Amino acid sequence: MEQEAPTPESILVRNVYFKYGTQEALRDVNLTLQKGELLGLLGPNGGGKTTLFHLITTLFPVQRGDVLIQGESVKRQAKEIRKELGIIFQSPSLDLDLTVKENLLFHGRMYGVRGPELLERIETLAKEFRFEKRLDDRVKVLSGGYRRRIEIAKALLPEPSILLMDEPSNGLDPVARKELWNLFESIRRSRNLSILFTTHLMDEADLCDEVVILHHGRVVKSGRPEQLKKEVSGDVLILETQSPDELKKTIKEKYNIESQIVSEGLRMETENASALMLQILEGHQEYVDSIHLRKPTLEDVFFAATGMLLDKGGRA
């Protein structure tokens, strides 16, 4: 019996390099997005995420290496490949002076969808994303959460097989962010969509099937979030202190444990975190304002790979 040919990966990035003039933005980047999976590109601002996003969306030409979408190279089949992609950019792309329906009609016609079929798709998406009562409203009167839902609906109008998103929750409050990610999970499962997105937020990256950590244009870690967190050695102890240098020296001399000075105070990883926490509180309480013990997170994975932490604005 003849075996079926394996289904190509939704996205395959192979040995990609990219430069802006003499400045190297990406170096030997490799990643794979399997059909139906959610992949997050995690990293700081300036780490290479958006450059890679622009290569995958065919906005930038590949200088070296290759990007394959559904098995086809963006170097040779960019026009055909774009039909497979639904794209949500970080900067809003809705016309604020048009109504919601006018925005969707214009986008659908750009992709060759017209007539009753286009109207039916708009009606279906409006109900799914709960803005059917706002179709005749101008976009400029809508909240950020509503606008993001309409951006998603617009990206899905051509019925793509892959959804690409650059910092999709940028500018949204925590409640709107949670609603947005519930929505992404729902549409991924209902449509068997493959989704790739960029983020600097650890909680978003934790939702992924696969995380690729980019730093200074290189992949420094990749894998499933739970597996990556298991690679961190022990639990994480954070000591808030007004004397980080002195406490760091004391912990090294007395317990032979290395620690790092971070914005919160002093950070360390250890297999015996509970016992160490009690010892520090008993012997050095005068140095410690507060103490926090937790299991490793993706933030710790990023720290282990780069020696840096990300702040809320995406800066390392």
Side-chain angles (χ1 to χ4, degrees):
M1 181 182 291
E2 214 175 277
Q3 289 188 339
E4 289 185 10
T7 303
E9 298 86 356
S10 292
I11 297 175
L12 183 62
V13 176
R14 299 192 304 196
N15 310 117
V16 164
Y17 290 72
F18 192 87
K19 285 184 177 182
Y20 296 99
T22 59
Q23 183 182 354
E24 189 173 68
L26 297 173
R27 170 182 281 272
D28 197 23
V29 172
N30 291 272
L31 66 82
T32 303
L33 172 65
Q34 301 289 353
K35 178 65 179 173
E37 284 197 337
L38 175 65
L39 184 148
L41 295 177
L42 174 65
N45 297 335
K49 303 189 308 293
T50 298
T51 298
L52 182 56
F53 184 85
H54 286 161
L55 290 172
I56 293 171
T57 56
T58 76
L59 289 177
F60 287 178
V62 175
Q63 295 172 347
R64 182 174 160 194
D66 206 355
V67 175
L68 305 179
I69 308 289
Q70 307 283 45
E72 298 292 340
S73 169
V74 299
K75 290 181 175 180
R76 296 182 293 274
Q77 303 290 336
K79 185 177 179 181
E80 290 75 13
I81 282 169
R82 289 183 194 120
K83 299 173 184 176
E84 298 288 338
L85 307 178
I87 305 172
I88 300 174
F89 294 102
Q90 187 174 158
S91 300
S93 60
L94 298 171
D95 189 318
L96 301 182
D97 291 320
L98 295 181
T99 66
V100 173
K101 188 173 184 179
E102 287 168 342
N103 269 278
L104 295 174
L105 285 169
F106 179 73
H107 187 74
R109 288 165 184 159
M110 279 182 60
Y111 277 82
V113 188
R114 290 181 169 78
E117 182 184 7
L118 176 56
L119 293 174
E120 184 179 343
R121 289 189 191 184
I122 290 173
E123 183 181 345
T124 299
L125 288 166
K127 287 179 181 176
E128 184 174 7
F129 297 125
R130 303 188 302 279
F131 60 80
E132 67 268 30
K133 294 181 180 179
R134 311 301 298 268
L135 282 170
D136 293 323
D137 291 347
R138 295 192 186 279
V139 172
K140 62 185 175 185
V141 305
L142 302 178
S143 68
Y146 262 114
R147 292 182 192 183
R148 217 49 173 159
R149 279 193 239 166
I150 295 158
E151 293 261 16
I152 302 165
K154 188 176 76 143
L156 294 176
L157 258 181
E159 299 186 342
S161 59
I162 301 169
L163 184 61
L164 304 172
M165 307 183 291
D166 191 12
E167 301 275 1
S169 63
N170 187 41
L172 298 183
D173 62 55
V175 173
R177 280 183 58 217
K178 185 175 181 181
E179 289 178 352
L180 186 69
W181 280 102
N182 288 338
L183 194 55
F184 286 144
E185 185 59 21
S186 173
I187 63 176
R188 176 166 77 110
R189 297 196 180 282
S190 65
R191 292 171 168 80
N192 195 27
L193 270 175
S194 308
I195 300 179
L196 179 147
F197 71 101
T198 71
T199 186
H200 63 270
L201 300 171
M202 300 296 169
D203 58 336
E204 291 187 353
D206 231 341
L207 301 170
C208 295
D209 298 307
E210 186 92 2
V211 175
V212 175
I213 300 177
L214 276 174
H215 188 55
H216 293 319
R218 303 186 185 194
V219 175
V220 294
K221 272 290 181 182
S222 65
R224 296 188 177 274
E226 288 308 312
Q227 188 58 46
L228 291 177
K229 285 183 277 188
K230 286 177 182 177
E231 295 177 10
V232 177
S233 56
D235 292 333
V236 177
L237 203 58
I238 304 288
L239 308 177
E240 291 187 18
T241 175
Q242 302 300 313
S243 310
D245 293 301
E246 193 169 347
L247 187 56
K248 175 182 171 74
K249 181 180 177 183
T250 300
I251 289 173
K252 174 61 178 174
E253 290 175 350
K254 189 163 185 179
Y255 307 107
N256 195 29
I257 292 175
E258 294 290 349
S259 55
Q260 303 86 30
I261 297 174
V262 295
S263 59
E264 302 100 315
L266 210 60
R267 176 193 179 280
M268 64 202 75
E269 299 169 14
T270 175
E271 297 287 351
N272 301 303
S274 297
L276 178 63
M277 179 175 68
L278 293 174
Q279 288 175 319
I280 291 171
L281 286 174
E282 288 174 1
H284 315 284
Q285 190 173 9
E286 70 275 14
Y287 291 122
V288 180
D289 297 327
S290 66
I291 191 164
H292 307 276
L293 172 63
R294 58 174 172 75
K295 294 293 183 184
T297 65
L298 282 177
E299 185 174 28
D300 301 306
V301 175
F302 183 83
F303 184 89
T306 67
M308 300 179 179
L309 294 172
L310 284 178
D311 65 19
K312 292 181 180 179
R315 294 175 294 273

